[in-house]
């Protein structure tokens, strides 16, 4: 296969991942190929088990069924892993994004000692990979993410304040902890915000919304941004773009985990939000995880607790102000609030939008929308799994051989 043919083959696969299902003419038109060339390349992808046909019933009583093409959902699976401050999430997904199974483990990281946490994470990843393989599916690989700055090219975590990690060789650490367990492909690494942005983009495209330019703000252990521009992740000159949680919004404000004061994260980060909201509702027993604290905050807000509702509204206003700064810097088509922000949106979104509209400046009043993510808290995991498929289209992972 020539280099040009290989690139075209990968381009067809990417177009189906983003926009499928499509008819053959629609697919060829979308990538600018003649019908005969499209048909030949589609047949190649079908032999590799990457593309399949979907018969659809005719519109009326007469006529032949229309056959559409999409990524094949039956042969392969890809895995996603998120390593957080208080939990580890692992799931397997079909090529179209259907979740096959998932595993959640509690996490107790030791600052400066990531090995124990990596062993727990790799164990959960191996469990899911083995379960997938037992069903007859072929695991293509795994994406792994953390809430911080990651050099995706080297697989190194540069800085994760919530975990106390600096310059951790995450890809090598996960591969070593797996003990040689085969995943059928590479282990890829990135930030939770970047992977969530990839999943958000595909969900929006398949729902008919524009997805070429967006900023996804995480609502997990800090505030990071996944930036999509021109249909691709924008990583910056050193691959470390998106550290928006440490933009200074409130000079002289609260002390941040980074050592400075007044960071965006101190006013609208989830840990600070739930700490303030639950300050008058102390309980005995083990400390809550972040996810449990969010659910307790939701319960109290739903019950009409004015202190909790006021705390969420105030945090929403700071979130809107910070989102306006991000919007002014990057001019996206939309700013998307993801992670736990989506769970708290009933009380945070309106104040956030009001503050955002006041702070953002655009000619003609055409400000990008401030929207809630289409994904749930598993969005980064879904995006991590999706990254494996996208690596096939980008050439950083080899395409599977034709199925015998």
């Amino acid at each position: 296969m020539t280099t040009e043919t290989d690139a075209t083959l990968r381009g067809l696969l990417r177009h189906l991942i983003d926009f499928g299902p499509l008819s053959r003419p629609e697919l060829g038109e979308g990538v600018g190929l003649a019908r005969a060339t499209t048909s030949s390349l589609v047949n190649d992808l079908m032999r590799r088990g990457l593309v399949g046909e979907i018969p659809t019933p005719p519109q009326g009583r007469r006529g032949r069924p229309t056959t559409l093409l999409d990524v094949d959902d039956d042969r392969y699976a890809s895995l996603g892993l998120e390593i957080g401050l208080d939990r580890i999430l692992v799931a397997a997904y079909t090529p179209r994004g259907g979740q096959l199974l998932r595993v959640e483990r509690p996490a107790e990281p030791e600052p400066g000692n990531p090995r124990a946490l990596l062993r727990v994470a790799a164990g959960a990843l191996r469990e899911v990979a083995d379960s997938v393989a037992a069903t007859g599916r072929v695991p293509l690989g795994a994406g792994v993410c953390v809430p911080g700055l990651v050099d995706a090219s080297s697989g190194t975590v540069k800085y994760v304040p919530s975990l106390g990690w600096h310059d951790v060789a995450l890809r090598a650490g996960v591969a070593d902890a797996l003990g040689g367990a085969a995943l059928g492909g590479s282990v890829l690494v990135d930030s939770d915000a970047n992977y969530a942005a990839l999943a958000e983009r595909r969900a929006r495209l398949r729902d008919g919304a524009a997805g070429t330019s967006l900023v996804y703000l995480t609502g997990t252990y800090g505030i990071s941004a996944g930036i999509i521009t021109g249909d691709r992740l924008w990583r910056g000159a050193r691959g470390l773009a998106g550290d928006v949680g440490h933009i200074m919004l409130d000079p002289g404000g609260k002390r941040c985990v980074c050592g400075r004061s007044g960071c965006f994260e101190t006013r609208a980060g989830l840990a600070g939000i739930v700490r303030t909201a639950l300050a008058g509702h102390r309980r005995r027993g083990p400390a809550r995880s972040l996810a449990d604290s969010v659910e307790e905050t939701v319960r109290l807000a739903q019950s009409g607790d004015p202190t909790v509702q006021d705390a969420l509204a105030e945090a929403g206003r700071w979130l809107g102000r910070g989102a306006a700064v991000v919007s002014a810097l990057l001019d996206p088509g939309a700013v998307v609030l993801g992670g736990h922000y989506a769970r708290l949106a009933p009380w945070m979104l309106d104040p956030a939008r009001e503050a955002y509209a006041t702070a953002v400046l655009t000619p003609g009043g055409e400000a990008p929308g401030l929207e809630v993510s289409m994904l749930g808290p598993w969005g980064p995991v879904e995006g991590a799994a999706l990254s494996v498929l996208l690596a096939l289209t980008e050439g950083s992972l080899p395409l599977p051989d034709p199925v015998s």
Side-chain angles (χ1 to χ4, degrees):
M1 183 184 297
T2 67
T3 302
E4 182 179 354
T5 300
D6 182 73
T8 307
L9 196 68
R10 295 176 189 274
L12 277 174
L13 180 60
R14 176 61 185 258
H15 201 70
L16 279 176
I17 290 172
D18 288 346
F19 299 104
L22 298 169
S23 67
R24 276 177 169 79
E26 288 172 332
L27 177 58
E29 182 179 350
V31 295
L33 294 176
R35 181 171 296 188
T37 304
T38 302
S39 181
S40 174
L41 294 176
V42 165
N43 289 339
D44 188 325
L45 290 170
M46 292 177 72
R47 286 192 293 270
R48 297 172 190 270
L50 291 169
V51 169
E53 295 182 328
I54 306 173
T56 60
Q59 296 295 320
R61 293 186 177 180
R62 298 180 180 180
R64 299 171 59 185
T66 301
T67 299
L68 300 178
L69 299 169
D70 205 345
V71 283
D72 191 288
D73 226 30
D74 297 326
R75 178 170 178 77
Y76 297 108
S78 51
L79 280 60
L81 163 65
E82 180 184 6
I83 301 174
L85 178 62
D86 57 7
R87 61 178 184 167
I88 290 167
L89 303 178
V90 188
Y93 292 84
T94 71
R96 292 181 205 156
Q99 192 180 83
L100 294 167
L101 70 154
R102 68 189 193 188
V103 169
E104 183 172 350
R105 294 279 185 273
E108 295 182 5
E110 301 174 27
N113 178 26
R115 291 184 179 180
L117 186 57
L118 288 179
R119 282 196 296 270
V120 175
L125 185 62
R126 185 187 302 111
E127 177 185 335
V128 172
D130 290 345
S131 297
V132 167
T135 68
R137 287 181 180 266
V138 179
L140 290 169
V144 181
C145 61
V146 292
L149 295 176
V150 178
D151 182 348
S153 61
S154 67
T156 302
V157 174
K158 305 304 291 184
Y159 181 44
V160 182
S162 59
L163 294 175
W165 288 7
H166 294 265
D167 297 319
V168 174
L170 180 59
R171 179 187 297 146
V174 170
D176 180 63
L178 283 170
L183 285 173
S186 275
V187 173
L188 310 174
V189 302
D190 213 325
S191 71
D192 58 347
N194 280 349
Y195 278 157
L198 290 177
E200 183 74 25
R201 174 185 174 275
R202 179 172 67 167
R204 291 166 65 87
L205 287 174
R206 289 208 160 207
D207 195 53
T212 57
S213 173
L214 65 87
V215 172
Y216 180 102
L217 295 180
T218 59
T220 50
Y221 307 96
I223 305 177
S224 295
I227 305 163
I228 300 286
T229 179
D231 283 336
R232 293 292 186 272
L233 274 173
W234 185 71
R235 301 181 184 279
R238 294 172 298 157
L240 304 176
D243 187 24
V244 300
H246 299 289
I247 293 173
M248 185 176 291
L249 283 189
D250 183 22
K254 299 178 181 179
R255 188 80 168 171
C256 181
V257 293
C258 72
R260 298 180 295 179
S261 299
C263 293
F264 184 15
E265 190 171 302
T266 65
R267 286 296 191 174
L270 260 294
I273 291 174
V274 297
R275 187 184 309 115
T276 301
L278 299 178
H281 299 274
R282 301 294 184 188
R283 71 173 188 179
R284 295 180 179 179
R288 298 182 181 96
S289 68
L290 179 62
D292 288 343
S293 294
V294 169
E295 289 308 309
E296 177 67 5
T297 302
V298 169
R299 185 188 67 78
L300 291 168
Q302 288 174 334
S303 72
D305 188 297
T307 302
V308 172
Q309 291 182 346
D310 288 347
L312 294 178
E314 177 65 8
R317 285 186 279 273
W318 282 104
L319 180 59
R321 293 175 191 133
V325 173
V326 173
S327 181
L329 291 171
L330 300 173
D331 189 27
V335 178
V336 180
L337 306 178
H340 292 302
Y341 287 140
R343 190 78 177 95
L344 298 172
W347 304 276
M348 292 183 65
L349 185 59
D350 284 346
R353 282 177 168 166
E354 290 173 7
Y356 178 77
T358 300
V360 73
L361 295 175
T362 53
E366 296 180 359
L370 186 61
E371 305 173 13
V372 177
S373 171
M374 300 177 69
L375 310 172
W378 287 76
V381 182
E382 181 178 342
L386 174 59
S387 73
V388 176
L389 282 183
L390 298 182
L392 296 178
T393 72
E394 294 161 358
S396 52
L397 284 182
L399 292 171
D401 293 329
V403 180
S404 58

Coordinates of all heavy atoms in Angstrom, one line a residue, residues 151-224:
D151 N 2.5 15.7 28.8 CA 3.2 15.7 27.5 C 2.8 14.4 26.8 O 3.3 13.3 27.0 CB 4.7 15.7 27.7 CG 5.4 15.8 26.3 OD1 4.8 15.6 25.3 OD2 6.6 16.1 26.4
A152 N 1.7 14.5 25.9 CA 1.2 13.3 25.2 C 2.2 12.6 24.4 O 2.2 11.3 24.2 CB 0.0 13.6 24.4
S153 N 3.2 13.3 23.8 CA 4.1 12.7 22.8 C 5.1 11.8 23.6 O 5.5 10.7 23.1 CB 4.9 13.8 22.1 OG 5.6 14.6 23.0
S154 N 5.5 12.1 24.8 CA 6.4 11.3 25.5 C 5.7 10.4 26.5 O 6.3 9.5 27.1 CB 7.4 12.2 26.3 OG 6.8 13.0 27.3
G155 N 4.4 10.7 26.8 CA 3.7 9.9 27.8 C 4.0 10.2 29.2 O 3.9 9.4 30.1
T156 N 4.5 11.5 29.4 CA 4.9 11.9 30.7 C 3.9 12.9 31.3 O 3.5 13.9 30.7 CB 6.3 12.6 30.6 OG1 7.2 11.7 30.0 CG2 6.8 13.1 32.0
V157 N 3.6 12.7 32.6 CA 2.8 13.7 33.3 C 3.8 14.8 33.9 O 4.7 14.5 34.6 CB 2.1 13.0 34.5 CG1 1.4 14.1 35.4 CG2 1.1 12.0 34.0
K158 N 3.6 16.0 33.4 CA 4.4 17.1 33.8 C 4.1 17.6 35.2 O 5.0 17.8 36.0 CB 4.4 18.2 32.8 CG 4.7 17.8 31.4 CD 6.0 17.2 31.3 CE 7.2 18.1 31.5 NZ 8.5 17.4 31.3
Y159 N 2.8 17.7 35.5 CA 2.4 18.3 36.8 C 0.9 18.0 37.1 O 0.0 18.3 36.2 CB 2.6 19.8 36.8 CG 2.3 20.5 38.1 CD1 2.6 20.0 39.3 CD2 1.6 21.7 38.1 CE1 2.4 20.7 40.5 CE2 1.3 22.4 39.2 CZ 1.7 21.9 40.4 OH 1.4 22.5 41.6
V160 N 0.6 17.3 38.2 CA -0.7 17.1 38.6 C -0.8 17.5 40.1 O -0.4 16.7 41.0 CB -1.2 15.7 38.5 CG1 -2.7 15.5 38.9 CG2 -1.1 15.2 37.0
P161 N -1.2 18.8 40.4 CA -1.2 19.2 41.8 C -2.0 18.4 42.7 O -1.5 18.1 43.9 CB -1.8 20.6 41.7 CG -1.6 21.1 40.3 CD -1.7 19.8 39.5
S162 N -3.2 17.9 42.3 CA -4.0 17.1 43.2 C -3.4 15.8 43.6 O -3.8 15.2 44.6 CB -5.4 16.9 42.5 OG -5.3 16.2 41.3
L163 N -2.6 15.2 42.7 CA -1.9 14.0 43.0 C -0.5 14.1 43.5 O 0.1 13.1 44.0 CB -1.9 13.1 41.7 CG -3.2 12.6 41.2 CD1 -3.0 11.9 39.9 CD2 -4.0 11.7 42.2
G164 N 0.0 15.3 43.5 CA 1.4 15.6 43.9 C 2.4 15.0 42.9 O 3.5 14.6 43.4
W165 N 2.1 14.9 41.7 CA 2.9 14.3 40.7 C 3.7 15.3 39.9 O 3.2 16.3 39.5 CB 2.1 13.4 39.7 CG 1.6 12.2 40.2 CD1 1.6 11.7 41.5 CD2 0.9 11.2 39.5 NE1 1.0 10.5 41.6 CE2 0.5 10.1 40.4 CE3 0.6 11.0 38.1 CZ2 -0.1 9.0 40.0 CZ3 -0.1 9.9 37.7 CH2 -0.5 8.9 38.6
H166 N 5.0 15.1 39.7 CA 5.9 15.9 38.8 C 6.7 15.0 38.0 O 7.4 14.1 38.5 CB 6.8 16.8 39.7 CG 6.1 17.8 40.5 ND1 5.9 19.1 40.0 CD2 5.6 17.8 41.7 CE1 5.3 19.8 41.0 NE2 5.1 19.0 42.0
D167 N 6.6 15.2 36.7 CA 7.5 14.4 35.7 C 7.4 12.9 36.0 O 8.4 12.2 36.1 CB 8.9 14.9 35.8 CG 9.1 16.3 35.4 OD1 8.4 16.7 34.4 OD2 9.8 17.0 36.1
V168 N 6.2 12.4 35.9 CA 5.9 11.0 36.1 C 5.8 10.3 34.7 O 5.0 10.8 33.9 CB 4.6 10.7 36.9 CG1 4.3 9.2 37.0 CG2 4.8 11.3 38.3
A169 N 6.5 9.3 34.5 CA 6.5 8.6 33.2 C 5.2 7.7 33.2 O 5.3 6.5 33.4 CB 7.7 7.7 33.0
L170 N 4.1 8.3 32.9 CA 2.8 7.6 33.0 C 2.7 6.4 32.1 O 2.3 5.3 32.4 CB 1.6 8.5 32.8 CG 0.2 8.0 32.9 CD1 0.0 7.3 34.3 CD2 -0.8 9.1 32.7
R171 N 3.0 6.6 30.8 CA 2.9 5.5 29.8 C 3.7 4.3 30.2 O 3.3 3.2 30.2 CB 3.2 6.0 28.4 CG 3.1 4.9 27.3 CD 3.7 5.4 26.0 NE 2.9 6.5 25.5 CZ 3.4 7.5 24.8 NH1 4.7 7.6 24.5 NH2 2.6 8.4 24.3
A172 N 5.0 4.6 30.5 CA 5.9 3.5 30.9 C 5.4 2.9 32.2 O 5.5 1.7 32.4 CB 7.3 4.0 31.1
G173 N 4.9 3.7 33.2 CA 4.5 3.2 34.4 C 3.3 2.3 34.3 O 3.2 1.2 34.9
V174 N 2.3 2.6 33.5 CA 1.1 1.8 33.3 C 1.5 0.5 32.6 O 1.1 -0.6 32.9 CB 0.1 2.5 32.5 CG1 -1.1 1.6 32.0 CG2 -0.5 3.7 33.3
A175 N 2.4 0.6 31.5 CA 2.8 -0.6 30.8 C 3.6 -1.5 31.7 O 3.4 -2.7 31.6 CB 3.7 -0.1 29.6
D176 N 4.4 -1.0 32.6 CA 5.2 -1.8 33.5 C 4.3 -2.5 34.5 O 4.4 -3.6 34.8 CB 6.2 -0.9 34.2 CG 7.1 -1.7 35.2 OD1 7.8 -2.6 34.7 OD2 7.0 -1.5 36.4
A177 N 3.3 -1.7 35.0 CA 2.4 -2.3 36.0 C 1.5 -3.3 35.4 O 1.0 -4.2 36.1 CB 1.5 -1.2 36.6
L178 N 1.2 -3.2 34.1 CA 0.4 -4.3 33.4 C 1.2 -5.6 33.3 O 0.6 -6.6 33.1 CB 0.1 -3.8 32.0 CG -1.1 -2.8 31.9 CD1 -1.2 -2.2 30.5 CD2 -2.4 -3.4 32.3
G179 N 2.5 -5.5 33.5 CA 3.3 -6.8 33.5 C 3.3 -7.5 32.2 O 3.3 -8.8 32.2
G180 N 3.2 -6.8 31.1 CA 3.3 -7.5 29.8 C 1.9 -7.9 29.3 O 1.8 -8.5 28.2
A181 N 0.8 -7.6 30.0 CA -0.5 -7.9 29.5 C -0.8 -7.2 28.2 O -0.5 -6.0 28.0 CB -1.6 -7.5 30.5
A182 N -1.2 -8.0 27.2 CA -1.4 -7.5 25.9 C -2.7 -6.7 25.8 O -3.8 -7.2 26.2 CB -1.4 -8.6 24.8
L183 N -2.7 -5.6 25.2 CA -3.9 -4.8 24.9 C -4.2 -4.7 23.4 O -5.1 -4.0 23.0 CB -3.8 -3.4 25.5 CG -4.0 -3.3 27.0 CD1 -3.7 -1.9 27.5 CD2 -5.4 -3.8 27.4
G184 N -3.4 -5.3 22.6 CA -3.6 -5.3 21.2 C -3.1 -4.0 20.6 O -3.3 -3.8 19.4
G185 N -2.4 -3.1 21.3 CA -2.0 -1.8 20.8 C -1.3 -1.1 21.8 O -0.9 -1.6 22.9
S186 N -1.1 0.2 21.6 CA -0.3 1.1 22.5 C -1.2 1.6 23.6 O -2.4 1.6 23.6 CB 0.3 2.3 21.7 OG 1.5 2.0 21.1
V187 N -0.4 2.0 24.7 CA -1.1 2.8 25.8 C -0.8 4.3 25.4 O 0.4 4.7 25.3 CB -0.4 2.4 27.1 CG1 -1.0 3.4 28.2 CG2 -0.7 1.0 27.5
L188 N -1.9 5.0 25.3 CA -1.8 6.5 25.0 C -2.1 7.3 26.3 O -2.9 6.8 27.1 CB -2.7 6.8 23.9 CG -2.7 6.0 22.6 CD1 -3.8 6.4 21.7 CD2 -1.3 6.1 21.9
V189 N -1.5 8.4 26.4 CA -1.8 9.2 27.6 C -2.1 10.7 27.2 O -1.6 11.2 26.2 CB -0.6 9.2 28.6 CG1 -0.3 7.7 29.0 CG2 0.6 9.8 28.1
D190 N -2.9 11.3 28.1 CA -3.2 12.7 27.9 C -3.9 13.2 29.1 O -4.1 12.5 30.1 CB -4.1 13.0 26.6 CG -3.8 14.3 25.9 OD1 -3.5 15.3 26.6 OD2 -3.8 14.3 24.7
S191 N -4.3 14.5 29.1 CA -5.1 15.0 30.2 C -6.6 14.7 30.1 O -7.1 14.3 29.0 CB -5.0 16.6 30.3 OG -5.7 17.1 29.2
D192 N -7.3 14.7 31.3 CA -8.7 14.4 31.2 C -9.5 15.4 30.4 O -10.4 15.0 29.7 CB -9.2 14.3 32.7 CG -9.0 15.6 33.5 OD1 -8.3 16.5 33.0 OD2 -9.7 15.7 34.5
A193 N -9.0 16.6 30.4 CA -9.7 17.7 29.6 C -9.6 17.4 28.1 O -10.6 17.6 27.4 CB -9.2 19.1 30.0
N194 N -8.4 17.1 27.7 CA -8.2 16.8 26.3 C -9.0 15.6 25.8 O -9.7 15.7 24.7 CB -6.7 16.6 26.0 CG -5.9 17.9 25.9 OD1 -6.5 19.0 25.8 ND2 -4.6 17.8 25.9
Y195 N -9.0 14.6 26.5 CA -9.8 13.4 26.1 C -11.3 13.7 26.2 O -12.0 13.2 25.3 CB -9.4 12.2 27.0 CG -8.1 11.5 26.6 CD1 -7.4 10.7 27.5 CD2 -7.7 11.6 25.3 CE1 -6.3 10.0 27.1 CE2 -6.5 10.9 24.9 CZ -5.8 10.1 25.8 OH -4.7 9.5 25.4
A196 N -11.7 14.4 27.2 CA -13.2 14.7 27.3 C -13.6 15.6 26.1 O -14.7 15.4 25.5 CB -13.5 15.4 28.6
A197 N -12.7 16.5 25.7 CA -13.0 17.4 24.5 C -13.2 16.5 23.3 O -14.0 16.8 22.4 CB -11.9 18.4 24.4
L198 N -12.3 15.5 23.1 CA -12.5 14.7 21.9 C -13.8 14.0 21.9 O -14.5 13.9 20.9 CB -11.4 13.6 21.9 CG -9.9 14.1 21.6 CD1 -9.0 12.9 21.7 CD2 -9.8 14.7 20.2
A199 N -14.2 13.4 23.0 CA -15.5 12.7 23.1 C -16.7 13.7 22.9 O -17.7 13.4 22.3 CB -15.6 12.0 24.5
E200 N -16.5 14.9 23.5 CA -17.6 15.9 23.3 C -17.7 16.3 21.9 O -18.8 16.4 21.3 CB -17.2 17.2 24.1 CG -18.3 18.3 24.1 CD -19.5 17.9 24.9 OE1 -19.4 17.1 25.9 OE2 -20.6 18.5 24.6
R201 N -16.6 16.5 21.2 CA -16.6 16.8 19.8 C -17.4 15.8 19.0 O -18.3 16.1 18.1 CB -15.2 17.0 19.2 CG -15.2 17.2 17.7 CD -13.7 17.2 17.2 NE -13.7 17.3 15.8 CZ -13.8 16.2 14.9 NH1 -13.9 15.0 15.5 NH2 -13.8 16.4 13.6
R202 N -17.1 14.5 19.2 CA -17.7 13.4 18.4 C -19.2 13.4 18.7 O -20.1 13.2 17.8 CB -17.1 12.1 18.6 CG -17.9 11.0 17.8 CD -17.2 9.6 17.8 NE -17.2 9.0 19.1 CZ -16.9 7.7 19.3 NH1 -16.5 7.0 18.3 NH2 -16.9 7.2 20.5
A203 N -19.6 13.5 20.0 CA -21.0 13.5 20.4 C -21.8 14.6 19.7 O -22.9 14.4 19.2 CB -21.1 13.6 21.9
R204 N -21.1 15.8 19.7 CA -21.8 16.9 19.0 C -21.9 16.7 17.5 O -23.0 17.0 16.9 CB -21.0 18.2 19.3 CG -21.1 18.6 20.8 CD -20.1 19.7 21.1 NE -20.3 20.9 20.4 CZ -21.1 21.9 20.9 NH1 -21.8 21.8 22.0 NH2 -21.3 23.0 20.2
L205 N -20.9 16.2 16.9 CA -21.0 16.0 15.5 C -22.1 15.0 15.1 O -22.8 15.1 14.2 CB -19.6 15.5 14.9 CG -18.5 16.5 14.9 CD1 -17.2 15.9 14.5 CD2 -18.9 17.6 13.9
R206 N -22.1 13.9 15.9 CA -23.1 12.8 15.6 C -24.5 13.3 16.0 O -25.5 12.6 15.5 CB -22.7 11.5 16.3 CG -21.4 10.9 15.7 CD -21.4 9.4 15.9 NE -20.5 8.8 14.9 CZ -20.7 7.5 14.5 NH1 -21.7 6.8 14.9 NH2 -19.8 7.0 13.6
D207 N -24.6 14.3 16.8 CA -25.9 14.9 17.1 C -26.3 16.0 16.1 O -27.4 16.6 16.3 CB -25.9 15.4 18.5 CG -27.3 15.6 19.1 OD1 -28.1 14.7 19.0 OD2 -27.5 16.7 19.6
G208 N -25.4 16.3 15.2 CA -25.7 17.3 14.2 C -25.3 18.7 14.6 O -25.6 19.7 13.9
A209 N -24.6 18.9 15.7 CA -24.1 20.2 16.1 C -22.7 20.4 15.6 O -22.0 19.5 15.3 CB -24.1 20.3 17.7
A210 N -22.3 21.7 15.5 CA -20.9 22.0 15.1 C -19.9 21.6 16.1 O -20.2 21.7 17.3 CB -20.8 23.5 14.8
G211 N -18.8 21.0 15.7 CA -17.8 20.6 16.7 C -16.4 21.0 16.3 O -15.4 20.4 16.8
T212 N -16.3 21.9 15.3 CA -14.9 22.2 14.8 C -14.1 23.1 15.8 O -12.9 23.2 15.7 CB -15.0 22.9 13.5 OG1 -15.9 24.1 13.6 CG2 -15.7 22.0 12.4
S213 N -14.8 23.8 16.7 CA -14.1 24.7 17.6 C -14.9 24.8 18.9 O -16.0 25.3 19.0 CB -14.0 26.1 17.0 OG -13.5 27.1 17.9
L214 N -14.2 24.3 20.0 CA -14.9 24.4 21.3 C -13.8 24.3 22.4 O -12.7 23.8 22.1 CB -15.9 23.2 21.5 CG -15.4 21.8 21.5 CD1 -15.0 21.3 22.9 CD2 -16.5 20.9 21.0
V215 N -14.1 24.8 23.5 CA -13.3 24.6 24.7 C -14.1 23.9 25.7 O -15.3 24.3 26.1 CB -12.9 26.0 25.3 CG1 -12.2 25.8 26.6 CG2 -11.9 26.7 24.3
Y216 N -13.6 22.8 26.2 CA -14.3 21.9 27.2 C -13.6 22.2 28.6 O -12.4 22.0 28.7 CB -14.1 20.5 26.8 CG -14.8 19.5 27.8 CD1 -16.0 18.9 27.5 CD2 -14.1 19.1 29.0 CE1 -16.6 18.0 28.4 CE2 -14.7 18.2 29.9 CZ -15.9 17.7 29.6 OH -16.5 16.7 30.4
L217 N -14.3 22.7 29.5 CA -13.8 23.0 30.9 C -14.2 21.8 31.8 O -15.3 21.5 32.0 CB -14.4 24.3 31.4 CG -14.0 25.6 30.7 CD1 -14.6 26.8 31.4 CD2 -12.5 25.8 30.6
T218 N -13.2 21.2 32.4 CA -13.4 20.1 33.3 C -14.0 20.6 34.6 O -13.7 21.7 35.0 CB -12.2 19.3 33.6 OG1 -11.2 20.2 34.2 CG2 -11.6 18.7 32.4
G219 N -14.8 19.8 35.2 CA -15.2 20.0 36.6 C -14.9 18.8 37.4 O -15.8 18.1 37.8
T220 N -13.7 18.5 37.6 CA -13.3 17.4 38.4 C -12.4 17.9 39.6 O -12.9 18.5 40.5 CB -12.5 16.3 37.5 OG1 -11.5 17.0 36.8 CG2 -13.5 15.7 36.6
Y221 N -11.1 17.6 39.5 CA -10.3 18.0 40.7 C -9.6 19.3 40.6 O -9.1 19.9 41.5 CB -9.2 16.9 40.8 CG -9.8 15.5 40.8 CD1 -9.9 14.7 39.7 CD2 -10.3 15.0 42.0 CE1 -10.4 13.5 39.7 CE2 -10.9 13.7 42.0 CZ -11.0 13.0 40.8 OH -11.6 11.8 40.9
G222 N -9.7 19.9 39.4 CA -9.2 21.3 39.2 C -10.0 21.8 38.0 O -11.1 21.4 37.7
I223 N -9.5 22.8 37.3 CA -10.1 23.3 36.1 C -9.0 23.3 35.0 O -8.0 24.0 35.1 CB -10.6 24.8 36.3 CG1 -11.5 24.9 37.5 CG2 -11.3 25.2 35.0 CD1 -12.0 26.3 37.7
S224 N -9.3 22.5 34.0 CA -8.4 22.4 32.9 C -9.3 22.6 31.6 O -10.5 22.3 31.7 CB -7.6 21.1 32.8 OG -6.8 21.0 33.9

